[in-house]
Amino acid sequence: MAAPESTVPIEIRQHNALTTARYEMSACEMDIVFSLLSKLTKQDKAGTIYEIRVQELMEMTGRTWNYKQLLESTENLNSRVYHIETGKTLLQVSLLASALYRKGEGTIELEISERMRPFLIDLKSNFTSYRLQAAFSLSSKYAKRIYQLASQWKDIGETKTYSLDEFKAMLKLKDPAGKEPEQYAQISALQKYVLDVATNQINEHTDLRIKYELLKKGRSYQSIKFYVNTQVPQQLPIPFELEADDAKVQLARKHLDTLGIAEPKLVQEILQSAKHVDALFAFVYKLKTDKIKATKNPGGLFLKMQGLR
């Protein structure tokens, strides 16, 4: 197979109505959703079962999710309701129809609900696209949501102006019906725990660079808008023999940089080998979970373990 000239990150697409829907998810739930969305194709039929490999999910995200967290997350995804407004309709729908765990195999089989399918697969022009690796790299659940929202407007350069009530409702920080207490009611708290965290993470880890503007009416802040620009990838494209749209390769570059492995020929040799890439993810995962101790030169240890030095 001829080596492609550059890598193409996996793009996830979803309907704009879903991007701005009202729902709340944990970071674990959103990582499961991102992984699920990356597996959807237009050829999928009703009842299609999608397999999520837990080890691959953790290696891709660099985060450890235990069995209890995963079980709670899929249970929540089965019962959590999206509120999707399109024209004169308001749809209340859950994402999943079922979730099956294969014990001892480390796999989860997911089935999406049929009412949700058009918002994920049957897309025409009214959609939001965002990068899988970028979405995985964000640890804050609010950063993940704001990244999706910013991605909807990346071709325009700025979002529409949202009232703070509307924005908080999308992030489930405020119940429009007033039945639940509002979170981060003080503007300083909203900035510190939601907006600033999300902005910093998105600017550092994704293909977008954003900033927000809070707008006053009288003496109080009433609305918010985001300015969105795309960022040039920091790494230069390096030919490799893995699939060009393999998100693992995108994250592998970042891991190599973190480990201090920058020699072009060495980087190319690693990225051209599926065995080395898989070993890299396993090594980084074990490093983050303290299963490997290498405080001085982890990059050197990885190269030695792979027989590359």
Side-chain angles (χ1 to χ4, degrees):
M1 179 174 66
E5 291 300 322
S6 62
T7 59
V8 180
I10 290 179
E11 293 280 340
I12 294 176
R13 292 186 175 191
Q14 64 184 32
H15 198 284
N16 289 342
L18 185 57
T19 302
T20 56
R22 288 189 286 115
Y23 63 89
E24 180 183 18
M25 287 187 187
S26 68
C28 183
E29 288 172 58
M30 296 194 77
D31 281 348
I32 291 172
V33 170
F34 292 145
S35 183
L36 172 61
L37 294 181
S38 73
K39 297 178 182 295
L40 305 184
T41 70
K42 291 183 179 180
Q43 290 71 42
D44 295 343
K45 298 180 180 179
T48 298
I49 301 299
Y50 304 93
E51 183 182 82
I52 306 295
R53 303 188 69 82
V54 176
Q55 184 69 21
E56 182 178 302
L57 178 67
M58 292 193 293
E59 290 176 355
M60 287 285 288
T61 62
R63 290 183 287 277
T64 303
W65 305 117
N66 60 41
Y67 180 78
K68 181 180 178 182
Q69 288 174 307
L70 293 167
L71 200 63
E72 289 177 349
S73 294
T74 51
E75 182 178 351
N76 288 337
L77 289 172
N78 266 295
S79 59
R80 196 177 299 287
V81 176
Y82 286 75
H83 298 260
I84 304 174
E85 293 191 46
T86 54
K88 296 181 179 180
T89 65
L90 171 59
L91 174 65
Q92 296 174 321
V93 61
S94 60
L95 174 66
L96 298 183
S98 68
L100 174 69
Y101 283 77
R102 295 200 175 277
K103 298 180 180 179
E105 297 183 17
T107 60
I108 311 170
E109 294 181 357
L110 302 178
E111 178 186 7
I112 64 173
S113 63
E114 287 309 302
R115 280 274 186 160
M116 181 65 86
R117 182 175 293 274
F119 297 98
L120 302 175
I121 295 177
D122 302 329
L123 303 176
K124 294 181 180 179
S125 60
N126 192 27
F127 67 88
T128 301
S129 68
Y130 50 92
R131 293 186 176 180
L132 176 63
Q133 185 271 321
F136 272 148
S137 69
L138 303 170
S139 59
S140 163
K141 64 180 181 180
Y142 301 122
K144 292 175 185 286
R145 281 303 313 276
I146 292 173
Y147 173 65
Q148 290 176 302
L149 186 66
S151 294
Q152 181 182 343
W153 300 88
K154 62 187 175 185
D155 294 330
I156 298 175
E158 61 183 61
T159 69
K160 76 171 197 176
T161 299
Y162 298 94
S163 71
L164 283 179
D165 286 343
E166 180 184 13
F167 176 70
K168 288 182 176 181
M170 283 192 293
L171 271 63
K172 276 287 189 174
L173 297 173
K174 185 174 184 177
D175 180 6
K179 296 180 180 180
E180 298 178 4
E182 180 179 351
Q183 299 181 57
Y184 308 124
Q186 297 296 322
I187 198 69
S188 58
L190 181 68
Q191 288 182 281
K192 180 177 180 180
Y193 297 108
V194 178
L195 297 172
D196 290 345
V197 171
T199 299
N200 291 336
Q201 287 193 11
I202 290 169
N203 290 347
E204 182 178 355
H205 298 296
T206 79
D207 54 310
L208 302 183
R209 186 165 189 84
I210 70 169
K211 64 178 180 179
Y212 66 87
E213 181 181 8
L214 291 164
L215 305 171
K216 281 186 175 181
K217 186 175 182 180
R219 294 187 176 182
S220 61
Y221 291 104
Q222 297 292 326
S223 56
I224 185 172
K225 73 185 304 184
F226 294 87
Y227 298 92
V228 187
N229 292 297
T230 56
Q231 299 192 91
V232 178
Q234 294 181 357
Q235 68 275 357
L236 294 174
I238 299 174
F240 55 89
E241 294 180 354
L242 297 175
E243 291 296 329
D245 62 351
D246 193 328
K248 290 183 71 173
V249 176
Q250 309 304 312
L251 195 53
R253 295 174 181 276
K254 183 177 179 181
H255 287 331
L256 290 173
D257 184 61
T258 300
L259 293 174
I261 301 173
E263 184 181 335
K265 289 184 179 180
L266 196 55
V267 170
Q268 184 173 344
E269 183 177 356
I270 294 170
L271 293 181
Q272 285 180 334
S273 165
K275 179 182 177 181
H276 287 328
V277 170
D278 286 341
L280 172 65
F281 276 88
F283 180 83
V284 171
Y285 172 67
K286 291 177 181 178
L287 196 64
K288 289 185 176 182
T289 54
D290 291 326
K291 293 180 180 178
I292 290 179
K293 304 291 185 180
T295 56
K296 291 185 178 180
N297 184 14
L301 176 59
F302 171 74
L303 293 174
K304 184 177 180 181
M305 290 172 65
Q306 294 302 303
L308 297 171
R309 179 165 292 176

